[in-house]
Amino acid sequence: MGNGHDGLDAAGRRAFLASSLAAGAAALAPPQRHGRAAVPPMTVSLADFAGRPGAGRPALVEAFRRGLAVLSRAGGGTLFVPPGAYDFGPVDEPRAILLCRDLCDIAISAYGAVFIANTTAAIMPNMFYFYNFNNVTLAGARFLDQGFTPWVNWRGMYCVGIQADKPSRGLRLVDCRAERVVGLLASNNKATGRHLLSDIHVQGEVRHAYYGVGANQVDGPVSVDLTCHDVRRAFIAYAARHADITVRASAGADWPGSNGLVALVCPGADLGNVEDVRVRVDVSGTCIHSSYVHFYHQGPEREGAMRDIDATVNVVDMRSMTCMFLFDHETHGVQPRTARQWDRIGLHGSLPAECAGSVVANPSVTSAPGTVRLDRSLARMVRAGTLAAGFRVAPA
């Protein structure tokens, strides 16, 4: 696959728009917040502020600014984005296209709307950037970057970026679809602000992308439910806490992979341990990843732990794979020994009897072993004597 295939031609773009319209035509009502009150009933349309398909970037940016400002002054409500293609044109700076600050009790209902950009350099702009928020939902949006390529690192847009310098909670992406982008969602808080972001929930589909969801330094809870095709990394989180991750993934042989489809990263105890995480991965197609769940200690700090994690990988219709579960510690290369810990971790799953590959790989042997338990069905596929200290077979 060469760079000439990075964007869609006119026919492909029309097909993409048609599929988006079909998916959202019957679902234009604003989304409800599960288990909590809905946003206030006030609704305004982006079209009321000259934000229509075919408008130029300045007009669209201004329409979003004015529409969200009206709702904010009213105490919240829904911004309705009419169906159609919203093309923001070439992007040559790594900045937010639609910067949304301090939103509270607001839903953006964008069923049938397609947000298009054309990233022209090795940069990562954001289509929506939510900076400080409380109870914000984006529903039904479709995203496409005509300049994205998976063969050049970090060239293409993130659909949604989040950041906070004060407590911010309650962001939801519902029924969102991204194609040919760097990622659907990225959290940009550092370790010093890891307790500021919480209650992040993402549901949707990502195709032909670098990342699905990056939930770095989110205090939790985090829930992700993604369908992915040709995605280098469906989920990554530094210092994940109280997270529930579900990924259904498939891939073709001509898409670049990564060292983990799902990566749980501990940067060290001071920067954030990984705790209380549930992962389920169902994968089919071609194996393009070094592992499907990567328990990834990273950085020079001596102390750090991943604990209370339950991970399931179900491999379907594959003749070969590399590894289901990978445990290592990387600091300028993978370390053969580490003081970091993996503890109270359960490994579950299934794979076809004829499928070749490793269930567990543990290239970094720990001097502080906790307990990692494999289901008996998985343990039968592990070569005798290869489990490191702390890795055990779960009792019947």
Side-chain angles (χ1 to χ4, degrees):
M1 178 177 171
N3 288 343
H5 299 289
D6 293 337
L8 295 185
D9 58 17
R13 178 169 157 178
R14 287 194 296 271
F16 185 73
L17 174 58
S19 67
S20 299
L21 290 168
L28 292 175
Q32 300 295 308
R33 299 176 67 205
H34 299 293
R36 283 179 281 181
V39 299
M42 180 176 181
T43 299
V44 298
S45 174
L46 193 72
D48 296 338
F49 308 97
R52 297 180 175 84
R57 177 174 171 177
L60 293 174
V61 171
E62 179 65 9
F64 271 97
R65 187 194 68 78
R66 292 174 60 197
L68 292 172
V70 167
L71 292 173
S72 293
R73 288 194 295 269
T78 298
L79 177 62
F80 170 68
V81 182
Y86 296 82
D87 193 340
F88 289 79
V91 180
D92 58 6
E93 294 182 290
R95 63 175 58 181
I97 297 172
L98 298 171
L99 178 60
C100 307
R101 285 183 173 268
D102 300 307
L103 298 187
C104 181
D105 294 329
I106 283 177
I108 301 173
S109 183
Y111 286 94
V114 185
F115 298 93
I116 302 170
N118 185 355
T119 300
T120 59
I123 56 171
M124 293 184 293
N126 291 266
M127 179 60 73
F128 287 90
Y129 203 87
F130 296 107
Y131 197 108
N132 296 335
F133 52 83
N134 182 53
N135 182 25
V136 172
T137 298
L138 173 62
R142 269 54 177 166
F143 300 90
L144 170 67
D145 187 341
Q146 295 177 319
F148 168 73
T149 171
W151 307 102
V152 177
N153 283 347
W154 323 130
R155 174 174 171 169
M157 75 170 171
Y158 267 106
C159 306
V160 177
I162 57 174
Q163 190 175 354
D165 59 15
K166 63 182 180 181
S168 296
R169 63 178 296 112
L171 181 89
R172 283 166 171 72
L173 304 186
V174 180
D175 294 337
C176 289
R177 178 181 174 184
E179 183 158 357
R180 298 191 177 277
V181 296
V182 165
L184 176 58
L185 172 73
S187 164
N188 294 301
N189 266 29
K190 305 301 183 183
T192 54
R194 67 176 177 263
H195 300 302
L196 296 177
L197 287 169
S198 61
D199 195 16
I200 308 299
H201 304 271
V202 181
Q203 180 269 319
E205 182 177 356
V206 183
R207 299 177 63 84
H208 311 305
Y210 200 113
Y211 284 138
V213 170
N216 295 333
Q217 304 294 354
V218 176
D219 198 40
V222 174
S223 68
V224 173
D225 186 342
L226 282 184
T227 299
C228 299
H229 179 72
D230 285 350
V231 175
R232 290 179 65 167
R233 197 185 298 280
F235 177 82
I236 184 171
Y238 283 69
R241 299 176 72 242
H242 315 307
D244 194 341
I245 312 304
T246 298
V247 174
R248 295 164 298 277
S250 60
D254 61 345
W255 201 258
S258 65
N259 54 0
L261 176 67
V262 172
L264 305 176
V265 189
C266 174
D270 289 342
L271 299 177
N273 289 325
V274 176
E275 302 175 287
D276 184 26
V277 177
R278 304 292 175 266
V279 178
R280 179 187 171 107
V281 173
D282 296 321
V283 61
S284 61
T286 301
C287 179
I288 62 173
H289 299 91
S290 298
S291 67
Y292 290 120
V293 180
H294 189 184
F295 297 87
Y296 193 16
H297 283 295
Q298 194 179 87
E301 188 178 344
R302 177 179 173 82
E303 302 296 325
M306 299 190 190
R307 58 172 70 98
D308 298 317
I309 301 170
D310 196 79
T312 300
V313 173
N314 295 312
V315 177
V316 181
D317 296 331
M318 276 190 183
R319 294 187 176 182
S320 66
M321 64 169 186
T322 304
C323 178
M324 295 174 79
F325 306 101
L326 174 62
F327 295 76
D328 64 15
H329 182 181
E330 184 271 336
T331 303
H332 306 299
V334 174
Q335 303 300 301
R337 298 192 176 277
T338 179
R340 302 278 190 93
Q341 187 176 57
W342 296 280
D343 192 25
R344 302 194 296 271
I345 295 174
L347 305 179
H348 321 278
S350 62
L351 69 163
E354 68 278 8
C355 182
S358 299
V359 172
V360 175
N362 180 214
S364 301
V365 177
T366 179
S367 60
T371 300
V372 180
R373 295 191 183 275
L374 287 77
D375 281 355
R376 286 186 172 273
S377 60
L378 292 178
R380 286 195 295 269
M381 305 170 199
V382 177
R383 186 161 51 87
T386 61
L387 289 179
F391 287 74
R392 304 174 184 174
V393 180

